[in-house]
Amino acid sequence: MEQLCTHKLPVDIVFHPSWWNKHTGIVFDEDFFYNPLRRVEDERRMEQELHDRFGEYGLGADYDKDLPQIGAVHLAAGYLLSEMLGCNIEYTANSAPQVICAHREGFDVDEEAAFQSPAFKKLQHLIEELKAKYGYVCGDINWGGVLNLAIDLKGESILMDMIMEPEKTKAYFAAIARVVERFFTYIYSETKTTSISVNRLARLLDAPLYLHSECSHTMISTEDYHDYLLPIDVEWSMKYRPYGIHYCGKDPHRHAENFAKVPHLDFLDLGWGGDVHLLREALPNTFFNIRLNPVELNSYTRSELEGIIKERVMQSKDPYQTGICCINMDDKVRDEQVRAIFDIAEECRQTLFKD
């Protein structure tokens, strides 16, 4: 596959809903996600806020456009597939939708029912309304991950199932994977993208990324990943490219050997604390998106942040195979801290890597 990104060290950020609520007054109720008018108006308000504060870095470039975004592309919010599969969702003014664990027993997944659910019907109605007015739709919706969804449905009992009922658990994961695959291929058919809502840095790449969320893989052993979930990554990486894994936990390096077995792992979204050097040794051709810690960011001095970013960028080795992001910065983050991320990245481009 051709190079995933043709410019050096792309950078993007995502603010937590509390930041948006504080600075724009946007309320993240159910209407925000499903009302066609709100979808367009609120996304434009978000673009305007980014343009006004950080426009010199290219943020908020669509501030003067009404874009029919089907999903909240300025948030990190995975909830819809959980709702389609039977979980309840709680909405609050200044946070992302909260998935309530269904605590299901057994291993049944009604794949067709997910696409007949009220949740999916609401999405279809939204898309129809937007297309009727604008003639097209854009954006995407976070499609989560197989283990993430299994935990939403069954809670931590799924971890015991992997020990006690291995074959039933594998079939359960496969059924969830079929629902996920059907969902993201549907989204792609409508908008030609799937993963901006998983990580906004995806919008800066040269091809639309398929990004599988594996937030919960911090909870499982490398052996369990290999036996139960790696086969799904292997299959999807051969069918959907560029293919990536989103691993926001602090230990992505623990799974490096297994990640190396994915035939086409084009992108790795690696969590704060991940050993970049070790991962690069295992994955010499993978684009690394290095995540900064949004909580600790508030306490860093400029020089500390510079040291952190430069160290990890150097460990990744190739500026065309490396990006930087900070996701879910809350209402306590200061504008100068956000600007520092972009300024330090530019310093890296100019001083660490010269063509």
Side-chain angles (χ1 to χ4, degrees), residues 7 62 103 138 152 159 169 172 241 243 255 284 287 315 331:
H7 56 279
D62 293 324
H103 294 291
C138 56
D152 285 347
L159 305 179
T169 301
Y172 188 68
R241 297 195 64 193
Y243 183 73
H255 294 287
F287 185 100
Q315 288 173 346
D331 58 351

Side-chain angles (χ1 to χ4, degrees), residues 1-4 143 205 209-214 217 225 229-230 232-247 252-270 278-289 320-322:
M1 184 173 179
E2 295 182 2
Q3 191 168 292
L4 194 56
W143 40 280
L205 305 178
L209 178 68
Y210 294 86
L211 190 55
H212 183 199
S213 294
E214 302 188 355
H217 286 211
Y225 173 59
L229 295 152
L230 176 61
I232 296 168
D233 283 325
V234 168
E235 178 185 349
W236 283 352
S237 83
M238 293 189 289
K239 294 170 67 175
Y240 305 105
R241 297 195 64 193
Y243 183 73
I245 289 173
H246 158 83
Y247 193 108
H253 49 274
R254 191 165 57 89
H255 294 287
E257 183 178 345
N258 282 324
F259 288 157
K261 296 175 182 176
V262 179
H264 306 293
L265 185 56
D266 301 303
F267 182 101
L268 178 62
D269 194 20
L270 60 103
L278 189 154
L279 285 162
R280 180 55 77 201
E281 290 297 311
L283 302 164
N285 301 312
T286 298
F287 185 100
F288 284 176
N289 185 42
Y320 294 100
Q321 289 279 70
T322 309

Side-chain angles (χ1 to χ4, degrees), residues 77-139:
Y79 64 95
L80 182 53
L81 271 158
S82 301
E83 186 176 12
M84 287 168 55
L85 287 165
C87 294
N88 290 325
I89 308 296
E90 288 186 354
Y91 297 90
T92 54
N94 63 351
S95 63
Q98 178 68 40
V99 177
I100 309 302
C101 179
H103 294 291
R104 291 250 180 101
E105 297 181 357
F107 296 90
D108 292 331
V109 177
D110 192 333
E111 299 171 39
E112 191 56 40
F115 295 93
Q116 300 300 323
S117 65
F120 188 71
K121 294 296 185 181
K122 284 188 294 186
L123 172 63
Q124 285 184 312
H125 178 71
L126 170 66
I127 290 174
E128 289 166 4
E129 291 285 310
L130 291 173
K131 287 173 74 172
K133 182 172 182 178
Y134 295 95
Y136 76 105
V137 286
C138 56

